[in-house]
Amino acid sequence: MLDVTMEMEQYDCPFIDTTVDHEVTFSTMHWQLDAAAEELETRLVVEAADRGALDNGLSALRAHENMNDYRLFTRQDDTAVIRTVIEQTDAMETIHDRGGYITGPFHIRDGEELWQVGFDDGGVADETLYALDKNNDFEVKQRRGLELDQLFDVMHNADAATALLDAARSLSAVEADTIRRAADAGYFETPRDATLSTLADEFDVSTTAVSKNMRRGEKKVLRGLVEALEHVDEMP
C-alpha cells in the first residue's frame, strides 16, 4: 500500500474558493463520499480571523454553486461547526474511479487543501496522479509505502493518533500559527534561536500576547500528548 500526502488546488471546490476570498480555514471532522449520488458530505470546524470574516466566509460558502446542502450546528465568536453536502469534484471523481481512497482529514486554507490519499500499489498511484494533473494543480509533499507491521501499528494505535489529532484541531488559528512559527524560528531549541520578543516583533503584538497564545496552545497539545501516551501504554 502507498500513502500520498499532497497539497491540492481544485477549481470546483466550494471550500477552496471560500478561503481564497475570505480569511477562514476548514478542517474536516467527518466526511463521506456517495459516489452514486456524486456528493460529498462533511462536518467541519471553521475558523476565521474575526467574527466578521466568519460571517462573510459562511455566507459565501452557503451561496457557492457547488453547495447542495448546508447547516450551521454551532458558532462561538470566530469559530463554527457546520455540515455540508457538496457536488463531487473532479479530483474526488478521478481518485475514486481509479481505486484511490482518502486516508486522512482535509485541511483547507489560503486556496489550498491538504489531502492524504491511499493506493493499493504504485502503478495505480502514478496513473491517478497523471490523470489529476489534467484539471487540478497539486504538489506531492510525501509519498511512502506502508508495510504490514506499519498498518497494524496504525490500527492498534488509532486511539492515540485520534487524541493527537483532536489536540491539533483544538488549537485556534492564532495558537497554531504561534506554535508553528516558534518551532520554525528555533524557540524550542537549546539554546534558543528565538525569544518571545523576536516572536512578538514578527506578529506585531506584545510579548504578553505571544506568551498567552503560546501557553494556551502548549496546554492543549500536551493534554493531547498525555492522552495519547495513555492509549499507547495500554497496548500489549
Side-chain angles (χ1 to χ4, degrees), residues 166-202:
D166 287 343
R169 292 181 185 134
S170 72
L171 295 173
S172 70
V174 173
E175 291 164 353
D177 198 23
T178 300
I179 291 177
R180 186 182 299 111
R181 292 201 196 183
D184 291 343
Y187 177 81
F188 300 107
E189 302 294 331
T190 304
R192 285 178 172 169
D193 293 329
T195 65
L196 288 176
S197 294
T198 58
L199 291 173
D201 290 341
E202 184 174 350

Side-chain angles (χ1 to χ4, degrees), residues 47 58 93 97 100 103 133 146 148 195 203 226 230-231:
E47 296 177 284
L58 293 181
E93 181 179 8
D97 289 352
T103 61
D133 195 40
L146 297 176
L148 191 59
T195 65
F203 284 100
V226 170
E230 290 174 352
H231 288 301

